[in-house]
Amino acid sequence: MKKVLNLFDFKQQVNYKTEVLAGLTVAMTMIPESLSFAILAGFPPLMGLYASFIAGLVTAIFGGRPGMISGGAGATVIVLIALMKSDGLEYVLAAVALAGVFQIIIGVFKLGKFIRLVPHPVMFGFVNGLAIVIFMSQLDQFKTVVNGDIEWLSGTALYIMGGLVALTIAIVVLLPKVTKAVPSSLVAIIVVFLLVYFFGIDTKTVKDIASVSGGFPPFHIPQIPLTWETIELIAPYSMIMAAVGLTEGLLTLNLVDEITETKGNGNRECIAQGGSNILNGFFFGMGGCPMIAQTLVNLSAGSRARLSGIIAAFTILAIILFGAPIIEKLPMAALVGVMIMVAIGTFEWVSLKIFNKVPKKDIFLVVIVALITVFLHNLALAVLVGVILSALFFAWESAKRIRARKFIDENGVKHYEIYGPLFFASTTNFAEKFDALNDPEEIIIDFKDSRVSDMSAIEALNAVTQKYSKVGKKVHLRHLSDDCIRLLKNADAIIEVNILEDPDYKVAADES
């Protein structure tokens, strides 16, 4: 009961001022991003803000990682664009809710641990690619619509935008050298807002993206036919959305773990994400997941507890209900400047310094994952490709390690002492170690320093055994581990070998 009720770690010392200010800063940076992605996907703009409120609040309270921020993220929304265009908003809401169900299932069955399979070079590539995406998305704010065409800003408008962005960056960089009492990002946003407001500077504001005024998220059951055909239609989108959301979320969780030197709970985060997306589907939210940029804004502002995420969520709701007239006047330049600094802080600059100090395959992994993230905006695909390539590289390196020490004992029996794992990638090298024609009548293959790992290894043993059998010679296997013996006995329909049992590695007795 204690674990159920103890949603917060009351042993943790919470700096309430820092948490509140961090939450306000996060909310300011989350609003334009959520609105932009909602508009990009063809959703009503308020769906982005509803998603940020619902996902932010639920995961802040129930999630597995204090300090991590969730909201209406572009990574998950991009998945739903095709469904929106082909079938409409009602199917999108249903897909969001179903994605939440998938995420809860993953959390309940504790499958979040598989994020450990993501190697560090893939993490580097993921983070660097995301930093580039964050930076590149800010360049869109330097564009405007002229006679229905999108054009770059020019002349006075460009100089004003650039100057305000530069001022924001300067405040973010220099203020911490004077004081860290308040988050420099929040100070920068307020200073630029006041400057634009009191001097009447004509520049792009939040209102130029969309209106943020509305009511409390309304309860709405998606109006779709409850048929198997509907499930077949939305399930692929839901599974991809769930995978993308959990991939970004669990990678962000690992990143926060490293920054804060604490340990989060991946499975709890999966369940919290799933719950938030189910609510999104029934309360007009576009769905969401942890947002790495806003999480880094939160951490850089000094937050280490859940309170900042709760403050950010309720700030967004308050803005929707009451504060829209003020927030809509917020200069986009201030938010762009903050997000550019976030992108710079997100990029793993150390990855550039170690290019000449790490294996080339690791450099290749960093680059390929970053490129997929940047050009396809598909974080799940980027990480999946990275993991697969890393596994193939590992298999290739392991395959090259198999070797055999050969000698003939006083009884004329030839011994092959195998070193390294015998599995699908090393079977060819393994087979090349044997000389059936020139070997004596009996050989022993010793696996004391090796393992028979998979079906390919069993087939390789079968091939060697048959090769010697054809020339009238006998093969024994020795020092097999218990699991290797079980593997061979399970495959006794396709392989026949003589196993020498020697559990204490002293006396070998022929089992056959």
Side-chain angles (χ1 to χ4, degrees):
M1 181 63 70
K2 183 178 178 181
K3 288 186 178 180
V4 174
L5 296 178
N6 188 21
L7 299 177
F8 299 93
D9 182 3
F10 292 110
K11 296 178 182 178
Q12 181 183 14
Q13 292 185 347
V14 178
N15 187 323
Y16 290 97
K17 185 184 77 170
T18 297
E19 294 295 318
V20 170
L21 293 176
L24 294 174
T25 306
V26 166
M28 294 303 103
T29 61
M30 195 183 298
I31 287 171
E33 184 168 343
S34 299
L35 288 172
S36 297
F37 282 117
I39 294 170
L40 174 66
F43 304 151
L46 276 175
M47 282 185 66
L49 297 185
Y50 287 155
S52 292
F53 164 64
I54 295 171
L57 182 62
V58 172
T59 57
I61 296 175
F62 299 103
R65 175 67 267 178
M68 196 158 76
I69 301 296
S70 294
T76 51
V77 172
I78 290 173
V79 174
L80 302 173
I81 292 178
L83 182 62
M84 179 65 183
K85 290 181 178 178
S86 62
D87 296 278
L89 186 60
E90 298 294 333
Y91 284 84
V92 166
L93 294 172
V96 170
L98 184 58
V101 173
F102 288 140
Q103 290 175 327
I104 288 178
I105 291 172
I106 290 173
V108 167
F109 285 96
K110 302 184 183 302
L111 302 179
K113 61 187 176 182
F114 287 107
I115 196 67
R116 300 172 190 166
L117 296 176
V118 179
H120 213 64
V122 176
M123 280 284 290
F124 272 161
F126 164 79
V127 172
N128 290 350
L130 206 53
I132 295 171
V133 169
I134 293 170
F135 178 81
M136 296 297 292
S137 65
Q138 303 314 306
L139 299 182
D140 289 338
Q141 302 305 326
F142 287 86
K143 298 177 182 179
T144 187
V145 179
V146 178
N147 297 325
D149 297 324
I150 298 177
E151 297 181 1
W152 289 95
L153 293 176
S154 60
T156 304
L158 176 60
Y159 298 141
I160 291 174
M161 186 73 172
L164 293 175
V165 170
L167 174 62
T168 303
I169 293 174
I171 295 173
V172 172
V173 172
L174 299 176
L175 184 63
K177 298 180 180 179
V178 178
T179 178
K180 295 182 179 179
V182 290
S184 59
S185 300
L186 182 59
V187 172
I189 291 171
I190 293 174
V191 168
V192 173
F193 171 75
L194 295 176
L195 184 66
V196 170
Y197 181 77
F198 285 109
F199 286 91
I201 298 173
D202 183 20
T203 186
K204 185 186 290 188
T205 63
V206 170
K207 189 174 184 179
D208 294 321
I209 298 178
S211 172
V212 297
S213 178
F216 193 85
F219 177 73
H220 173 78
I221 299 176
Q223 300 300 306
I224 59 171
L226 298 178
T227 63
W228 181 250
E229 288 73 18
T230 300
I231 299 297
E232 287 182 325
L233 173 64
I234 66 174
Y237 294 98
S238 298
M239 285 188 282
I240 295 173
M241 178 182 174
V244 170
L246 292 184
T247 299
E248 182 166 1
L250 294 175
L251 288 176
T252 303
L253 185 144
N254 279 359
L255 188 64
V256 178
D257 284 352
E258 291 182 10
I259 293 173
T260 62
E261 297 182 350
T262 55
K263 184 66 176 176
N265 187 324
N267 294 311
R268 179 173 172 175
E269 183 62 33
C270 293
I271 295 173
Q273 275 194 51
S276 73
N277 278 325
I278 291 175
L279 288 176
N280 265 297
F282 288 98
F283 283 91
F284 260 108
M286 66 180 184
C289 69
M291 304 171 76
I292 190 169
Q294 279 67 28
T295 296
L296 291 171
V297 167
N298 191 42
L299 296 178
S300 65
S303 170
R304 292 296 183 270
R306 298 179 183 273
L307 183 59
S308 61
I310 297 172
I311 293 294
F314 279 115
T315 299
I316 291 173
L317 179 62
I319 288 169
I320 296 171
L321 299 176
F322 313 112
I326 297 176
I327 297 301
E328 287 175 355
K329 295 179 182 179
L330 203 65
M332 286 303 302
L335 303 176
V336 168
V338 169
M339 296 307 293
I340 286 176
M341 291 307 300
V342 168
I344 293 173
T346 302
F347 195 90
E348 292 280 4
W349 298 100
V350 68
S351 63
L352 300 180
K353 297 180 182 179
I354 61 174
F355 258 42
N356 296 327
K357 303 177 182 178
V358 298
K360 292 181 180 179
K361 62 180 179 60
D362 289 338
I363 297 174
F364 177 77
L365 279 176
V366 173
V367 172
I368 198 68
V369 172
L371 289 176
I372 294 175
T373 303
V374 170
F375 290 105
L376 298 183
H377 289 197
N378 191 328
L379 305 182
L381 177 63
V383 173
L384 179 63
V385 169
V387 170
I388 291 174
L389 288 176
S390 181
L392 291 175
F393 290 150
F394 174 78
W396 178 254
E397 291 296 324
S398 298
K400 293 192 295 184
R401 292 193 179 98
I402 195 164
R403 58 194 190 280
R405 176 174 174 265
K406 310 169 188 177
F407 66 91
I408 298 177
D409 62 21
E410 64 277 6
N411 297 320
V413 177
K414 187 170 184 179
H415 294 250
Y416 286 85
E417 294 182 347
I418 307 299
Y419 297 86
L422 180 57
F423 67 115
F424 69 91
S426 61
T427 54
T428 301
N429 287 341
F430 173 78
E432 292 173 352
K433 309 294 183 187
F434 300 93
D435 185 2
L437 292 177
N438 298 314
D439 277 352
E441 297 299 313
E442 190 172 358
I443 71 165
I444 294 177
I445 305 177
D446 194 328
F447 285 93
K448 181 179 179 180
D449 295 299
S450 181
R451 293 179 66 85
V452 179
S453 302
D454 58 13
M455 192 67 195
S456 297
I458 292 174
E459 181 55 39
L461 286 175
N462 190 39
V464 169
T465 301
Q466 289 182 351
K467 186 186 297 183
Y468 280 88
S469 179
K470 286 179 180 178
V471 292
K473 298 177 181 179
K474 198 169 188 179
V475 175
H476 299 281
L477 305 184
R478 190 180 193 185
H479 287 159
L480 287 167
S481 63
D482 290 340
D483 57 333
C484 294
I485 292 174
R486 283 195 301 270
L487 193 65
L488 287 170
K489 287 182 177 178
N490 289 338
D492 60 4
I494 60 172
I495 180 172
E496 183 178 350
V497 294
N498 294 309
I499 299 176
L500 296 177
E501 289 188 352
D502 185 15
D504 297 321
Y505 301 133
K506 294 176 181 176
V507 181
D510 191 342
E511 181 183 82
S512 61

